[in-house]
Amino acid sequence: MQLQWYPGHMTKAKRAMQEDIKLIDVVIELVDARIPFSSKNPDIDSLASGKSRILVLNKADMAEQAATKQWEKYYEAKGYFAVAVNATKRNELKAIHPLIQKACKEKIERDRKRGILNRPVRAMIAGIPNVGKSTFINSFAGKSCAKTGNKPGVTKGKQWIRLNKQVELLDTPGILWPKFEDPAVGLRLAFIGSIKDELLNRTEVAMELIGFIRKSYPGKIEQLYHVGETGKPEEILERIGMVRKCLAKGETVDFERTSALILDDFRHTRLGTLSLEFPAAV
Ligand code: G4P
């Protein structure tokens, strides 16, 4: 499947990120817990070199818990401070604070040796579109946090949210771009809805999803739609269309509507909390 991406957006986002990153101590990178590999852009490794790094597996409420645990371990082994959360739940984000302190331990020590006490650590959120960056910032900052104005040495217009005495958060997230070169990555981004369906062949995406779920989570399709899971994906799609009455003229199955229905069910976890990637396979 061929996907279009816009180099103009990419270059602008990269430049903005390069500027912002100079101001911060720790990058809190968000990925989607259902696709922790495909929703991560490796370019951040060079962009954020020399910075402390925290990896947040967001939308953990939509992924399979056991797989998410494996991903946490996977990224910890790569030297990240990793944590799985649901950014819509403010309480769950409390776990980030001790991680920031751990990740910035050396910087805090260095400051202390120089006699600089209580200088807040500066953090920024980064990630590809739709991983939950804005949601995370809103939940993490909450309503009570004061925004700090422009400061000497800080680019004009940058807003910092003071979370507490120890941490300031840049109020605009760093936007990374998805890596589309690998078609399997593009497909998984399409499954979770990170690529507009209008740009894709929805039926093709739905059939690929059926193929994946049937193989990795046998029984889930049958459980929701009460149709057999054997045969070609298009046959399963047709059965679902019949059962759900997604019909076109002449009582034939409307494949487009059926595909939209399946994608919507998956994206709203009606098919269960399913992970699309596993560390053993990357
Ligand atoms: P972005 O800034 O990275 O582009 O993402 P944004 O925060 O806009 O979040 C994208 C969508 O993901 C939003 O849903 C948001 O509510 C949802 N979301 C973010 N974090 C989580 C999470 O941890 N768990 C779950 N289940 N959802 C999360 P939306 O469809 O745009 O709106 P709505 O669903 O809130 O109506």
mmCIF file with all atom_site columns, all heavy atoms in Angstrom, residues 30 57-62 85-89 127-136 173 268-269, ligand 1:
data_model
loop_
_atom_site.group_PDB
_atom_site.id
_atom_site.type_symbol
_atom_site.label_atom_id
_atom_site.label_alt_id
_atom_site.label_comp_id
_atom_site.label_asym_id
_atom_site.label_entity_id
_atom_site.label_seq_id
_atom_site.pdbx_PDB_ins_code
_atom_site.Cartn_x
_atom_site.Cartn_y
_atom_site.Cartn_z
_atom_site.occupancy
_atom_site.B_iso_or_equiv
_atom_site.pdbx_formal_charge
_atom_site.auth_seq_id
_atom_site.auth_comp_id
_atom_site.auth_asym_id
_atom_site.auth_atom_id
_atom_site.pdbx_PDB_model_num
ATOM   1   N N   . LEU A 1 30  ? 6.267   9.960  23.779 1.00 0.00 ? 30  LEU A N   1
ATOM   2   C CA  . LEU A 1 30  ? 5.064   9.125  23.833 1.00 0.00 ? 30  LEU A CA  1
ATOM   3   C C   . LEU A 1 30  ? 4.987   8.210  22.616 1.00 0.00 ? 30  LEU A C   1
ATOM   4   O O   . LEU A 1 30  ? 5.224   8.666  21.478 1.00 0.00 ? 30  LEU A O   1
ATOM   5   C CB  . LEU A 1 30  ? 3.811   10.016 23.837 1.00 0.00 ? 30  LEU A CB  1
ATOM   6   C CG  . LEU A 1 30  ? 3.198   10.347 25.197 1.00 0.00 ? 30  LEU A CG  1
ATOM   7   C CD1 . LEU A 1 30  ? 4.188   11.126 26.043 1.00 0.00 ? 30  LEU A CD1 1
ATOM   8   C CD2 . LEU A 1 30  ? 1.908   11.122 25.049 1.00 0.00 ? 30  LEU A CD2 1
ATOM   9   N N   . LEU A 1 57  ? 4.537   4.537  27.222 1.00 0.00 ? 57  LEU A N   1
ATOM   10  C CA  . LEU A 1 57  ? 3.650   3.707  26.397 1.00 0.00 ? 57  LEU A CA  1
ATOM   11  C C   . LEU A 1 57  ? 2.237   4.170  26.716 1.00 0.00 ? 57  LEU A C   1
ATOM   12  O O   . LEU A 1 57  ? 1.643   3.756  27.720 1.00 0.00 ? 57  LEU A O   1
ATOM   13  C CB  . LEU A 1 57  ? 3.838   2.231  26.744 1.00 0.00 ? 57  LEU A CB  1
ATOM   14  C CG  . LEU A 1 57  ? 5.229   1.670  26.457 1.00 0.00 ? 57  LEU A CG  1
ATOM   15  C CD1 . LEU A 1 57  ? 5.621   0.607  27.457 1.00 0.00 ? 57  LEU A CD1 1
ATOM   16  C CD2 . LEU A 1 57  ? 5.291   1.115  25.046 1.00 0.00 ? 57  LEU A CD2 1
ATOM   17  N N   . ASN A 1 58  ? 1.737   5.080  25.908 1.00 0.00 ? 58  ASN A N   1
ATOM   18  C CA  . ASN A 1 58  ? 0.425   5.664  26.202 1.00 0.00 ? 58  ASN A CA  1
ATOM   19  C C   . ASN A 1 58  ? -0.692  4.813  25.589 1.00 0.00 ? 58  ASN A C   1
ATOM   20  O O   . ASN A 1 58  ? -0.442  3.959  24.761 1.00 0.00 ? 58  ASN A O   1
ATOM   21  C CB  . ASN A 1 58  ? 0.377   7.103  25.678 1.00 0.00 ? 58  ASN A CB  1
ATOM   22  C CG  . ASN A 1 58  ? -0.842  7.829  26.198 1.00 0.00 ? 58  ASN A CG  1
ATOM   23  O OD1 . ASN A 1 58  ? -1.274  7.626  27.333 1.00 0.00 ? 58  ASN A OD1 1
ATOM   24  N ND2 . ASN A 1 58  ? -1.433  8.687  25.376 1.00 0.00 ? 58  ASN A ND2 1
ATOM   25  N N   . LYS A 1 59  ? -1.899  5.096  26.011 1.00 0.00 ? 59  LYS A N   1
ATOM   26  C CA  . LYS A 1 59  ? -3.085  4.327  25.588 1.00 0.00 ? 59  LYS A CA  1
ATOM   27  C C   . LYS A 1 59  ? -2.937  2.862  26.010 1.00 0.00 ? 59  LYS A C   1
ATOM   28  O O   . LYS A 1 59  ? -3.378  1.950  25.284 1.00 0.00 ? 59  LYS A O   1
ATOM   29  C CB  . LYS A 1 59  ? -3.338  4.436  24.072 1.00 0.00 ? 59  LYS A CB  1
ATOM   30  C CG  . LYS A 1 59  ? -3.419  5.883  23.568 1.00 0.00 ? 59  LYS A CG  1
ATOM   31  C CD  . LYS A 1 59  ? -4.085  5.997  22.227 1.00 0.00 ? 59  LYS A CD  1
ATOM   32  C CE  . LYS A 1 59  ? -3.995  7.418  21.698 1.00 0.00 ? 59  LYS A CE  1
ATOM   33  N NZ  . LYS A 1 59  ? -4.720  7.647  20.465 1.00 0.00 ? 59  LYS A NZ  1
ATOM   34  N N   . ALA A 1 60  ? -2.291  2.658  27.148 1.00 0.00 ? 60  ALA A N   1
ATOM   35  C CA  . ALA A 1 60  ? -2.096  1.290  27.639 1.00 0.00 ? 60  ALA A CA  1
ATOM   36  C C   . ALA A 1 60  ? -3.439  0.624  27.924 1.00 0.00 ? 60  ALA A C   1
ATOM   37  O O   . ALA A 1 60  ? -3.535  -0.607 27.915 1.00 0.00 ? 60  ALA A O   1
ATOM   38  C CB  . ALA A 1 60  ? -1.227  1.295  28.890 1.00 0.00 ? 60  ALA A CB  1
ATOM   39  N N   . ASP A 1 61  ? -4.466  1.431  28.149 1.00 0.00 ? 61  ASP A N   1
ATOM   40  C CA  . ASP A 1 61  ? -5.801  0.868  28.384 1.00 0.00 ? 61  ASP A CA  1
ATOM   41  C C   . ASP A 1 61  ? -6.366  0.196  27.132 1.00 0.00 ? 61  ASP A C   1
ATOM   42  O O   . ASP A 1 61  ? -7.335  -0.550 27.209 1.00 0.00 ? 61  ASP A O   1
ATOM   43  C CB  . ASP A 1 61  ? -6.764  1.982  28.841 1.00 0.00 ? 61  ASP A CB  1
ATOM   44  C CG  . ASP A 1 61  ? -6.823  3.155  27.867 1.00 0.00 ? 61  ASP A CG  1
ATOM   45  O OD1 . ASP A 1 61  ? -5.765  3.695  27.520 1.00 0.00 ? 61  ASP A OD1 1
ATOM   46  O OD2 . ASP A 1 61  ? -7.941  3.512  27.434 1.00 0.00 ? 61  ASP A OD2 1
ATOM   47  N N   . MET A 1 62  ? -5.757  0.473  25.964 1.00 0.00 ? 62  MET A N   1
ATOM   48  C CA  . MET A 1 62  ? -6.265  -0.114 24.718 1.00 0.00 ? 62  MET A CA  1
ATOM   49  C C   . MET A 1 62  ? -5.429  -1.301 24.250 1.00 0.00 ? 62  MET A C   1
ATOM   50  O O   . MET A 1 62  ? -5.778  -1.958 23.272 1.00 0.00 ? 62  MET A O   1
ATOM   51  C CB  . MET A 1 62  ? -6.269  0.953  23.612 1.00 0.00 ? 62  MET A CB  1
ATOM   52  C CG  . MET A 1 62  ? -7.065  2.185  23.984 1.00 0.00 ? 62  MET A CG  1
ATOM   53  S SD  . MET A 1 62  ? -7.082  3.391  22.654 1.00 0.00 ? 62  MET A SD  1
ATOM   54  C CE  . MET A 1 62  ? -8.561  2.880  21.792 1.00 0.00 ? 62  MET A CE  1
ATOM   55  N N   . VAL A 1 85  ? 0.967   4.080  30.563 1.00 0.00 ? 85  VAL A N   1
ATOM   56  C CA  . VAL A 1 85  ? -0.102  4.863  31.192 1.00 0.00 ? 85  VAL A CA  1
ATOM   57  C C   . VAL A 1 85  ? -1.317  5.007  30.279 1.00 0.00 ? 85  VAL A C   1
ATOM   58  O O   . VAL A 1 85  ? -1.258  4.707  29.093 1.00 0.00 ? 85  VAL A O   1
ATOM   59  C CB  . VAL A 1 85  ? 0.358   6.317  31.550 1.00 0.00 ? 85  VAL A CB  1
ATOM   60  C CG1 . VAL A 1 85  ? 1.521   6.324  32.507 1.00 0.00 ? 85  VAL A CG1 1
ATOM   61  C CG2 . VAL A 1 85  ? 0.666   7.133  30.301 1.00 0.00 ? 85  VAL A CG2 1
ATOM   62  N N   . ASN A 1 86  ? -2.367  5.527  30.883 1.00 0.00 ? 86  ASN A N   1
ATOM   63  C CA  . ASN A 1 86  ? -3.532  6.008  30.153 1.00 0.00 ? 86  ASN A CA  1
ATOM   64  C C   . ASN A 1 86  ? -3.576  7.507  30.437 1.00 0.00 ? 86  ASN A C   1
ATOM   65  O O   . ASN A 1 86  ? -3.890  7.916  31.550 1.00 0.00 ? 86  ASN A O   1
ATOM   66  C CB  . ASN A 1 86  ? -4.781  5.294  30.680 1.00 0.00 ? 86  ASN A CB  1
ATOM   67  C CG  . ASN A 1 86  ? -6.071  5.920  30.183 1.00 0.00 ? 86  ASN A CG  1
ATOM   68  O OD1 . ASN A 1 86  ? -6.067  6.933  29.497 1.00 0.00 ? 86  ASN A OD1 1
ATOM   69  N ND2 . ASN A 1 86  ? -7.184  5.305  30.544 1.00 0.00 ? 86  ASN A ND2 1
ATOM   70  N N   . ALA A 1 87  ? -3.218  8.300  29.431 1.00 0.00 ? 87  ALA A N   1
ATOM   71  C CA  . ALA A 1 87  ? -3.057  9.747  29.660 1.00 0.00 ? 87  ALA A CA  1
ATOM   72  C C   . ALA A 1 87  ? -4.360  10.454 30.000 1.00 0.00 ? 87  ALA A C   1
ATOM   73  O O   . ALA A 1 87  ? -4.345  11.584 30.460 1.00 0.00 ? 87  ALA A O   1
ATOM   74  C CB  . ALA A 1 87  ? -2.418  10.404 28.440 1.00 0.00 ? 87  ALA A CB  1
ATOM   75  N N   . THR A 1 88  ? -5.486  9.794  29.758 1.00 0.00 ? 88  THR A N   1
ATOM   76  C CA  . THR A 1 88  ? -6.744  10.453 30.109 1.00 0.00 ? 88  THR A CA  1
ATOM   77  C C   . THR A 1 88  ? -6.996  10.363 31.621 1.00 0.00 ? 88  THR A C   1
ATOM   78  O O   . THR A 1 88  ? -7.893  11.003 32.142 1.00 0.00 ? 88  THR A O   1
ATOM   79  C CB  . THR A 1 88  ? -7.961  9.844  29.362 1.00 0.00 ? 88  THR A CB  1
ATOM   80  O OG1 . THR A 1 88  ? -8.136  8.498  29.805 1.00 0.00 ? 88  THR A OG1 1
ATOM   81  C CG2 . THR A 1 88  ? -7.756  9.846  27.857 1.00 0.00 ? 88  THR A CG2 1
ATOM   82  N N   . LYS A 1 89  ? -6.203  9.543  32.295 1.00 0.00 ? 89  LYS A N   1
ATOM   83  C CA  . LYS A 1 89  ? -6.371  9.379  33.746 1.00 0.00 ? 89  LYS A CA  1
ATOM   84  C C   . LYS A 1 89  ? -5.223  10.082 34.471 1.00 0.00 ? 89  LYS A C   1
ATOM   85  O O   . LYS A 1 89  ? -4.098  9.586  34.512 1.00 0.00 ? 89  LYS A O   1
ATOM   86  C CB  . LYS A 1 89  ? -6.362  7.885  34.128 1.00 0.00 ? 89  LYS A CB  1
ATOM   87  C CG  . LYS A 1 89  ? -7.466  7.093  33.477 1.00 0.00 ? 89  LYS A CG  1
ATOM   88  C CD  . LYS A 1 89  ? -8.583  6.834  34.467 1.00 0.00 ? 89  LYS A CD  1
ATOM   89  C CE  . LYS A 1 89  ? -9.677  5.954  33.917 1.00 0.00 ? 89  LYS A CE  1
ATOM   90  N NZ  . LYS A 1 89  ? -10.628 6.598  33.040 1.00 0.00 ? 89  LYS A NZ  1
ATOM   91  N N   . GLY A 1 127 ? 6.326   13.193 20.179 1.00 0.00 ? 127 GLY A N   1
ATOM   92  C CA  . GLY A 1 127 ? 5.748   11.972 19.614 1.00 0.00 ? 127 GLY A CA  1
ATOM   93  C C   . GLY A 1 127 ? 5.086   12.250 18.286 1.00 0.00 ? 127 GLY A C   1
ATOM   94  O O   . GLY A 1 127 ? 4.870   13.412 17.917 1.00 0.00 ? 127 GLY A O   1
ATOM   95  N N   . ILE A 1 128 ? 4.750   11.208 17.580 1.00 0.00 ? 128 ILE A N   1
ATOM   96  C CA  . ILE A 1 128 ? 4.085   11.362 16.287 1.00 0.00 ? 128 ILE A CA  1
ATOM   97  C C   . ILE A 1 128 ? 2.624   11.795 16.527 1.00 0.00 ? 128 ILE A C   1
ATOM   98  O O   . ILE A 1 128 ? 2.130   11.673 17.657 1.00 0.00 ? 128 ILE A O   1
ATOM   99  C CB  . ILE A 1 128 ? 4.147   10.061 15.429 1.00 0.00 ? 128 ILE A CB  1
ATOM   100 C CG1 . ILE A 1 128 ? 3.328   8.933  16.058 1.00 0.00 ? 128 ILE A CG1 1
ATOM   101 C CG2 . ILE A 1 128 ? 5.587   9.605  15.215 1.00 0.00 ? 128 ILE A CG2 1
ATOM   102 C CD1 . ILE A 1 128 ? 3.073   7.756  15.121 1.00 0.00 ? 128 ILE A CD1 1
ATOM   103 N N   . PRO A 1 129 ? 1.933   12.297 15.517 1.00 0.00 ? 129 PRO A N   1
ATOM   104 C CA  . PRO A 1 129 ? 0.547   12.717 15.725 1.00 0.00 ? 129 PRO A CA  1
ATOM   105 C C   . PRO A 1 129 ? -0.332  11.593 16.283 1.00 0.00 ? 129 PRO A C   1
ATOM   106 O O   . PRO A 1 129 ? -0.119  10.421 15.969 1.00 0.00 ? 129 PRO A O   1
ATOM   107 C CB  . PRO A 1 129 ? 0.083   13.116 14.316 1.00 0.00 ? 129 PRO A CB  1
ATOM   108 C CG  . PRO A 1 129 ? 1.336   13.506 13.614 1.00 0.00 ? 129 PRO A CG  1
ATOM   109 C CD  . PRO A 1 129 ? 2.395   12.591 14.146 1.00 0.00 ? 129 PRO A CD  1
ATOM   110 N N   . ASN A 1 130 ? -1.263  11.998 17.133 1.00 0.00 ? 130 ASN A N   1
ATOM   111 C CA  . ASN A 1 130 ? -2.319  11.105 17.634 1.00 0.00 ? 130 ASN A CA  1
ATOM   112 C C   . ASN A 1 130 ? -1.908  10.124 18.738 1.00 0.00 ? 130 ASN A C   1
ATOM   113 O O   . ASN A 1 130 ? -2.702  9.276  19.141 1.00 0.00 ? 130 ASN A O   1
ATOM   114 C CB  . ASN A 1 130 ? -2.944  10.340 16.454 1.00 0.00 ? 130 ASN A CB  1
ATOM   115 C CG  . ASN A 1 130 ? -4.397  10.046 16.697 1.00 0.00 ? 130 ASN A CG  1
ATOM   116 O OD1 . ASN A 1 130 ? -5.097  10.868 17.282 1.00 0.00 ? 130 ASN A OD1 1
ATOM   117 N ND2 . ASN A 1 130 ? -4.837  8.880  16.295 1.00 0.00 ? 130 ASN A ND2 1
ATOM   118 N N   . VAL A 1 131 ? -0.682  10.213 19.237 1.00 0.00 ? 131 VAL A N   1
ATOM   119 C CA  . VAL A 1 131 ? -0.297  9.293  20.321 1.00 0.00 ? 131 VAL A CA  1
ATOM   120 C C   . VAL A 1 131 ? -0.813  9.778  21.678 1.00 0.00 ? 131 VAL A C   1
ATOM   121 O O   . VAL A 1 131 ? -0.705  9.065  22.676 1.00 0.00 ? 131 VAL A O   1
ATOM   122 C CB  . VAL A 1 131 ? 1.233   9.058  20.412 1.00 0.00 ? 131 VAL A CB  1
ATOM   123 C CG1 . VAL A 1 131 ? 1.737   8.193  19.284 1.00 0.00 ? 131 VAL A CG1 1
ATOM   124 C CG2 . VAL A 1 131 ? 1.998   10.364 20.500 1.00 0.00 ? 131 VAL A CG2 1
ATOM   125 N N   . GLY A 1 132 ? -1.353  11.004 21.709 1.00 0.00 ? 132 GLY A N   1
ATOM   126 C CA  . GLY A 1 132 ? -1.935  11.500 22.966 1.00 0.00 ? 132 GLY A CA  1
ATOM   127 C C   . GLY A 1 132 ? -1.122  12.597 23.640 1.00 0.00 ? 132 GLY A C   1
ATOM   128 O O   . GLY A 1 132 ? -1.246  12.806 24.847 1.00 0.00 ? 132 GLY A O   1
ATOM   129 N N   . LYS A 1 133 ? -0.333  13.323 22.875 1.00 0.00 ? 133 LYS A N   1
ATOM   130 C CA  . LYS A 1 133 ? 0.544   14.358 23.465 1.00 0.00 ? 133 LYS A CA  1
ATOM   131 C C   . LYS A 1 133 ? -0.259  15.458 24.173 1.00 0.00 ? 133 LYS A C   1
ATOM   132 O O   . LYS A 1 133 ? 0.049   15.821 25.301 1.00 0.00 ? 133 LYS A O   1
ATOM   133 C CB  . LYS A 1 133 ? 1.433   15.002 22.375 1.00 0.00 ? 133 LYS A CB  1
ATOM   134 C CG  . LYS A 1 133 ? 2.372   14.021 21.707 1.00 0.00 ? 133 LYS A CG  1
ATOM   135 C CD  . LYS A 1 133 ? 3.228   14.695 20.653 1.00 0.00 ? 133 LYS A CD  1
ATOM   136 C CE  . LYS A 1 133 ? 2.472   15.232 19.471 1.00 0.00 ? 133 LYS A CE  1
ATOM   137 N NZ  . LYS A 1 133 ? 1.692   14.215 18.721 1.00 0.00 ? 133 LYS A NZ  1
ATOM   138 N N   . SER A 1 134 ? -1.281  15.994 23.486 1.00 0.00 ? 134 SER A N   1
ATOM   139 C CA  . SER A 1 134 ? -2.063  17.088 24.088 1.00 0.00 ? 134 SER A CA  1
ATOM   140 C C   . SER A 1 134 ? -2.811  16.590 25.316 1.00 0.00 ? 134 SER A C   1
ATOM   141 O O   . SER A 1 134 ? -2.863  17.268 26.342 1.00 0.00 ? 134 SER A O   1
ATOM   142 C CB  . SER A 1 134 ? -3.083  17.638 23.096 1.00 0.00 ? 134 SER A CB  1
ATOM   143 O OG  . SER A 1 134 ? -2.444  17.910 21.888 1.00 0.00 ? 134 SER A OG  1
ATOM   144 N N   . THR A 1 135 ? -3.375  15.400 25.196 1.00 0.00 ? 135 THR A N   1
ATOM   145 C CA  . THR A 1 135 ? -4.087  14.809 26.333 1.00 0.00 ? 135 THR A CA  1
ATOM   146 C C   . THR A 1 135 ? -3.143  14.665 27.515 1.00 0.00 ? 135 THR A C   1
ATOM   147 O O   . THR A 1 135 ? -3.482  14.999 28.654 1.00 0.00 ? 135 THR A O   1
ATOM   148 C CB  . THR A 1 135 ? -4.622  13.403 25.932 1.00 0.00 ? 135 THR A CB  1
ATOM   149 O OG1 . THR A 1 135 ? -5.343  13.526 24.714 1.00 0.00 ? 135 THR A OG1 1
ATOM   150 C CG2 . THR A 1 135 ? -5.495  12.809 27.002 1.00 0.00 ? 135 THR A CG2 1
ATOM   151 N N   . PHE A 1 136 ? -1.950  14.187 27.230 1.00 0.00 ? 136 PHE A N   1
ATOM   152 C CA  . PHE A 1 136 ? -0.950  13.980 28.278 1.00 0.00 ? 136 PHE A CA  1
ATOM   153 C C   . PHE A 1 136 ? -0.610  15.313 28.951 1.00 0.00 ? 136 PHE A C   1
ATOM   154 O O   . PHE A 1 136 ? -0.605  15.420 30.180 1.00 0.00 ? 136 PHE A O   1
ATOM   155 C CB  . PHE A 1 136 ? 0.307   13.350 27.665 1.00 0.00 ? 136 PHE A CB  1
ATOM   156 C CG  . PHE A 1 136 ? 1.358   12.979 28.671 1.00 0.00 ? 136 PHE A CG  1
ATOM   157 C CD1 . PHE A 1 136 ? 1.440   11.690 29.179 1.00 0.00 ? 136 PHE A CD1 1
ATOM   158 C CD2 . PHE A 1 136 ? 2.263   13.922 29.132 1.00 0.00 ? 136 PHE A CD2 1
ATOM   159 C CE1 . PHE A 1 136 ? 2.404   11.346 30.109 1.00 0.00 ? 136 PHE A CE1 1
ATOM   160 C CE2 . PHE A 1 136 ? 3.230   13.587 30.059 1.00 0.00 ? 136 PHE A CE2 1
ATOM   161 C CZ  . PHE A 1 136 ? 3.300   12.295 30.551 1.00 0.00 ? 136 PHE A CZ  1
ATOM   162 N N   . PRO A 1 173 ? 4.011   20.408 22.429 1.00 0.00 ? 173 PRO A N   1
ATOM   163 C CA  . PRO A 1 173 ? 4.770   19.171 22.245 1.00 0.00 ? 173 PRO A CA  1
ATOM   164 C C   . PRO A 1 173 ? 5.647   19.206 20.993 1.00 0.00 ? 173 PRO A C   1
ATOM   165 O O   . PRO A 1 173 ? 5.370   19.960 20.061 1.00 0.00 ? 173 PRO A O   1
ATOM   166 C CB  . PRO A 1 173 ? 3.670   18.116 22.092 1.00 0.00 ? 173 PRO A CB  1
ATOM   167 C CG  . PRO A 1 173 ? 2.493   18.848 21.563 1.00 0.00 ? 173 PRO A CG  1
ATOM   168 C CD  . PRO A 1 173 ? 2.581   20.258 22.079 1.00 0.00 ? 173 PRO A CD  1
ATOM   169 N N   . HIS A 1 268 ? -12.256 1.296  18.952 1.00 0.00 ? 268 HIS A N   1
ATOM   170 C CA  . HIS A 1 268 ? -12.960 1.554  20.218 1.00 0.00 ? 268 HIS A CA  1
ATOM   171 C C   . HIS A 1 268 ? -12.903 0.329  21.137 1.00 0.00 ? 268 HIS A C   1
ATOM   172 O O   . HIS A 1 268 ? -13.732 0.193  22.022 1.00 0.00 ? 268 HIS A O   1
ATOM   173 C CB  . HIS A 1 268 ? -14.405 1.993  19.951 1.00 0.00 ? 268 HIS A CB  1
ATOM   174 C CG  . HIS A 1 268 ? -14.474 3.388  19.408 1.00 0.00 ? 268 HIS A CG  1
ATOM   175 N ND1 . HIS A 1 268 ? -14.452 3.669  18.065 1.00 0.00 ? 268 HIS A ND1 1
ATOM   176 C CD2 . HIS A 1 268 ? -14.499 4.593  20.037 1.00 0.00 ? 268 HIS A CD2 1
ATOM   177 C CE1 . HIS A 1 268 ? -14.490 4.991  17.889 1.00 0.00 ? 268 HIS A CE1 1
ATOM   178 N NE2 . HIS A 1 268 ? -14.507 5.561  19.072 1.00 0.00 ? 268 HIS A NE2 1
ATOM   179 N N   . THR A 1 269 ? -11.930 -0.528 20.895 1.00 0.00 ? 269 THR A N   1
ATOM   180 C CA  . THR A 1 269 ? -11.655 -1.739 21.698 1.00 0.00 ? 269 THR A CA  1
ATOM   181 C C   . THR A 1 269 ? -12.867 -2.669 21.868 1.00 0.00 ? 269 THR A C   1
ATOM   182 O O   . THR A 1 269 ? -12.940 -3.417 22.831 1.00 0.00 ? 269 THR A O   1
ATOM   183 C CB  . THR A 1 269 ? -11.068 -1.405 23.102 1.00 0.00 ? 269 THR A CB  1
ATOM   184 O OG1 . THR A 1 269 ? -11.986 -0.594 23.831 1.00 0.00 ? 269 THR A OG1 1
ATOM   185 C CG2 . THR A 1 269 ? -9.743  -0.692 23.014 1.00 0.00 ? 269 THR A CG2 1
HETATM 186 P P1  . G4P B 2 .   ? -1.790  14.226 19.865 1.00 0.00 ? 1   G4P B P1  1
HETATM 187 O O1  . G4P B 2 .   ? -1.747  15.509 20.645 1.00 0.00 ? 1   G4P B O1  1
HETATM 188 O O2  . G4P B 2 .   ? -0.566  13.380 20.092 1.00 0.00 ? 1   G4P B O2  1
HETATM 189 O O3  . G4P B 2 .   ? -2.054  14.401 18.416 1.00 0.00 ? 1   G4P B O3  1
HETATM 190 O O4  . G4P B 2 .   ? -3.003  13.339 20.444 1.00 0.00 ? 1   G4P B O4  1
HETATM 191 P P2  . G4P B 2 .   ? -4.284  13.788 21.313 1.00 0.00 ? 1   G4P B P2  1
HETATM 192 O O5  . G4P B 2 .   ? -3.889  14.182 22.683 1.00 0.00 ? 1   G4P B O5  1
HETATM 193 O O6  . G4P B 2 .   ? -5.089  14.741 20.512 1.00 0.00 ? 1   G4P B O6  1
HETATM 194 O O7  . G4P B 2 .   ? -5.053  12.396 21.430 1.00 0.00 ? 1   G4P B O7  1
HETATM 195 C C1  . G4P B 2 .   ? -5.559  11.709 20.311 1.00 0.00 ? 1   G4P B C1  1
HETATM 196 C C2  . G4P B 2 .   ? -6.774  10.871 20.736 1.00 0.00 ? 1   G4P B C2  1
HETATM 197 O O8  . G4P B 2 .   ? -6.335  9.855  21.634 1.00 0.00 ? 1   G4P B O8  1
HETATM 198 C C3  . G4P B 2 .   ? -7.843  11.662 21.493 1.00 0.00 ? 1   G4P B C3  1
HETATM 199 O O9  . G4P B 2 .   ? -9.076  11.075 21.158 1.00 0.00 ? 1   G4P B O9  1
HETATM 200 C C4  . G4P B 2 .   ? -7.565  11.342 22.943 1.00 0.00 ? 1   G4P B C4  1
HETATM 201 O O10 . G4P B 2 .   ? -8.690  11.468 23.768 1.00 0.00 ? 1   G4P B O10 1
HETATM 202 C C5  . G4P B 2 .   ? -7.106  9.913  22.843 1.00 0.00 ? 1   G4P B C5  1
HETATM 203 N N1  . G4P B 2 .   ? -6.202  9.494  23.932 1.00 0.00 ? 1   G4P B N1  1
HETATM 204 C C6  . G4P B 2 .   ? -5.071  10.095 24.331 1.00 0.00 ? 1   G4P B C6  1
HETATM 205 N N2  . G4P B 2 .   ? -4.467  9.393  25.300 1.00 0.00 ? 1   G4P B N2  1
HETATM 206 C C7  . G4P B 2 .   ? -5.242  8.308  25.523 1.00 0.00 ? 1   G4P B C7  1
HETATM 207 C C8  . G4P B 2 .   ? -5.137  7.174  26.404 1.00 0.00 ? 1   G4P B C8  1
HETATM 208 O O11 . G4P B 2 .   ? -4.180  6.993  27.164 1.00 0.00 ? 1   G4P B O11 1
HETATM 209 N N3  . G4P B 2 .   ? -6.149  6.253  26.317 1.00 0.00 ? 1   G4P B N3  1
HETATM 210 C C9  . G4P B 2 .   ? -7.202  6.386  25.469 1.00 0.00 ? 1   G4P B C9  1
HETATM 211 N N4  . G4P B 2 .   ? -8.118  5.418  25.453 1.00 0.00 ? 1   G4P B N4  1
HETATM 212 N N5  . G4P B 2 .   ? -7.322  7.428  24.627 1.00 0.00 ? 1   G4P B N5  1
HETATM 213 C C10 . G4P B 2 .   ? -6.358  8.374  24.662 1.00 0.00 ? 1   G4P B C10 1
HETATM 214 P P3  . G4P B 2 .   ? -10.049 11.670 20.081 1.00 0.00 ? 1   G4P B P3  1
HETATM 215 O O12 . G4P B 2 .   ? -10.679 10.538 19.371 1.00 0.00 ? 1   G4P B O12 1
HETATM 216 O O13 . G4P B 2 .   ? -9.419  12.741 19.279 1.00 0.00 ? 1   G4P B O13 1
HETATM 217 O O14 . G4P B 2 .   ? -11.085 12.355 20.910 1.00 0.00 ? 1   G4P B O14 1
HETATM 218 P P4  . G4P B 2 .   ? -11.963 11.702 22.052 1.00 0.00 ? 1   G4P B P4  1
HETATM 219 O O15 . G4P B 2 .   ? -11.845 10.214 21.968 1.00 0.00 ? 1   G4P B O15 1
HETATM 220 O O16 . G4P B 2 .   ? -11.400 12.227 23.334 1.00 0.00 ? 1   G4P B O16 1
HETATM 221 O O17 . G4P B 2 .   ? -13.312 12.195 21.745 1.00 0.00 ? 1   G4P B O17 1
#
